[in-house]
Amino acid sequence: MLIQNKEITHPDVTLLVRNAEDELIVRYPEQVPSTVNPHARFVVAYVLGRPVGCGALILLDEGVAEIKRLYVLPAHRRNGVARRILLALERKAIAAQVGELILASGTRQPEALPFYESLGYQRIEPYGHHIGNPVSVCFSKRL
């Protein structure tokens, strides 16, 4: 597996984000997918040269960044791809002098919640547009 930095406009990023949105629409039909932040710094995971997953880091306030768009194609799940993507994003955050990462998942992604906890993320109160959303589950991790 290879993890590479990719521009937000790269076709592999577009493909994976589209796949992620298609899946989220099925899980959360009442919610409108958020637009991709133009400042997102993406990484893409490749297996045998094919894009199989992605994730993005968005720098927020000084010392805080948000993990967004963490997604792995279904055929490649449970093989360590998401873990490698998240660890690559954490390394990017450390290099950018980020001390805290935040992220949001949801109750209809039950496989994701223990995954984040297994990597040291702790549940926090909802933030931003997740406040008041009964299906949002938010996490934080000190780096």
Side-chain angles (χ1 to χ4, degrees), residues 37 39-41 57-61 64-66 92-93 96 98:
N37 185 308
H39 302 291
R41 299 177 181 183
L57 182 71
I58 300 170
L59 300 177
L60 301 174
D61 298 330
V64 179
E66 185 175 18
K92 285 176 78 72
V98 168

Side-chain angles (χ1 to χ4, degrees), residues 82-102:
R83 182 175 300 271
R84 296 269 308 270
I85 292 169
L86 190 53
L87 293 174
L89 292 170
E90 288 180 3
R91 286 191 300 276
K92 285 176 78 72
I94 290 167
Q97 300 182 342
V98 168
E100 180 184 13
L101 288 172
I102 59 174

Side-chain angles (χ1 to χ4, degrees), residues 117-128:
E117 291 169 335
S118 76
L119 288 170
Y121 288 80
Q122 298 181 346
R123 292 184 190 213
I124 59 171
E125 291 296 315
Y127 61 88

